[in-house]
Amino acid sequence: MPLATELFQEGLIIPPLKLYSRGRMDRAVFDLILSNVRTPTSGGRPSGPDRGQRDRPVRLEEAVARFGAAKVRLYSAIIQDYTEGFLRETIKAIPDGTYAFEDFLDDDGISTGPSRSAFA
């Protein structure tokens, strides 16, 4: 089977759909997705909308408990401001000019041999 050269050769195109509403999965949307993958039972499960809440770093909660939310916010802002300033100065130090980049992939999946990628 040849590799796809355009999106429509990949199969069904599913536009962005709301998989969860008010914390509940829309089973019809989920079944539509599962009906269009090779391995619908491979163990993949969608994450609920509270996944980020459950998996956030515990250390942040520890810092808030130890130092208080106001101090954590203050020092987070200080770190972000420092990082932004450092990055802005680094970018300013780059001389004006035109820059180009070229790279090669082993192949592009369609033809054999190196595939050139150029960015300017």
Side-chain angles (χ1 to χ4, degrees):
M1 171 188 233
L3 295 172
T5 56
E6 62 180 40
L7 181 61
F8 292 100
Q9 293 171 332
E10 293 290 337
L12 181 67
I13 300 167
I14 303 171
L17 297 171
K18 197 173 196 178
L19 183 57
Y20 280 85
S21 180
R22 296 186 175 165
R24 298 187 62 111
M25 184 194 326
D26 183 331
R27 190 67 204 190
V29 172
F30 188 59
D31 288 344
L32 170 72
I33 294 167
L34 289 182
S35 297
N36 288 283
V37 296
R38 282 194 185 110
T39 55
T41 59
S42 66
R45 274 189 69 234
S47 297
D50 63 335
R51 177 71 188 261
Q53 178 74 15
R54 284 194 323 265
D55 292 349
R56 74 178 184 279
V58 174
R59 300 300 303 250
L60 180 59
E61 290 176 353
E62 292 172 3
V64 170
R66 183 172 175 188
F67 303 110
K71 195 171 273 191
V72 170
R73 279 193 201 99
L74 171 67
Y75 283 102
S76 295
I78 289 170
I79 291 168
Q80 288 173 340
D81 290 345
Y82 170 79
T83 304
E84 179 184 359
F86 183 83
L87 182 57
R88 286 183 184 279
E89 290 303 315
T90 301
I91 291 170
K92 275 186 204 173
I94 299 171
D96 288 340
T98 301
Y99 293 87
F101 172 80
E102 179 178 82
D103 196 8
F104 291 86
L105 301 172
D106 292 337
D107 63 71
D108 62 6
I110 305 297
S111 59
T112 60
S115 176
R116 181 176 174 267
S117 301
F119 303 92

